[in-house]
């Protein structure tokens, strides 16, 4: 069970961490098609707790920005949307990975 402090801290840093979540989505979408429910579970395994109300608008925005493509597949009454990284998404992911490496190469600053 998490404490209220943990929950408020995570919410407090949501804007900062959302870029890492988008990188994670692109990482998987560049490897194979993904869908929202699977991505929520995958992210939870890495400590990110996203609701469908957070993830699906993010996915729609990434499609609108040209980072992902989406296709729908019907299975009976259910329609599942599958997302894949575009060339733009792969390029953005490569650039983001390169820039994130600065945090592993530099010595931590002491205040």
């Amino acid at each position: 069970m998490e404490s209220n402090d943990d929950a408020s801290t995570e919410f407090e840093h949501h804007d900062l961490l959302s870029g890492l979540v988008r990188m994670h989505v692109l990482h998987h979408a560049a490897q194979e098609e993904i869908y929202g429910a699977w991505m929520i579970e995958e992210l939870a395994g890495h400590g990110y707790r996203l609701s469908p109300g957070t993830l699906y608008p993010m996915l729609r925005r990434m499609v609108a920005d040209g980072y992902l493509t989406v296709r729908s597949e019907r299975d009976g009454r259910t329609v599942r949307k599958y997302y894949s990284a575009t060339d733009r998404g792969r390029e953005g992911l490569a650039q983001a990975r390169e820039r994130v490496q600065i945090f592993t190469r530099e010595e931590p600053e002491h205040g």
Side-chain angles (χ1 to χ4, degrees), residues 14-74:
H14 171 77
D15 289 343
L16 181 63
L17 297 176
S18 67
L20 295 174
V21 170
R22 287 191 295 274
M23 281 183 65
H24 205 109
V25 167
L26 278 174
H27 166 77
H28 285 287
Q31 294 177 340
E32 61 187 355
E33 285 185 317
I34 61 167
Y35 58 94
W38 179 86
M39 199 68 234
I40 288 171
E41 289 180 26
E42 170 64 19
L43 289 165
H46 294 281
Y48 299 102
R49 290 184 298 271
L50 271 73
S51 70
T54 299
L55 181 67
Y56 288 107
M58 181 184 296
L59 291 172
R60 282 193 297 274
R61 180 59 188 238
M62 292 175 75
V63 169
D65 290 344
Y67 294 113
L68 297 173
T69 60
V70 61
R71 71 174 183 87
S72 298
E73 188 173 293
R74 180 175 292 280

Side-chain angles (χ1 to χ4, degrees), residues 1 12 27 35 51 58 61 63 66 78 83 86 96 98 110:
M1 193 91 186
E12 179 182 340
H27 166 77
Y35 58 94
S51 70
M58 181 184 296
R61 180 59 188 238
V63 169
T78 305
Y83 299 87
T86 62
E98 186 177 300
H110 299 288

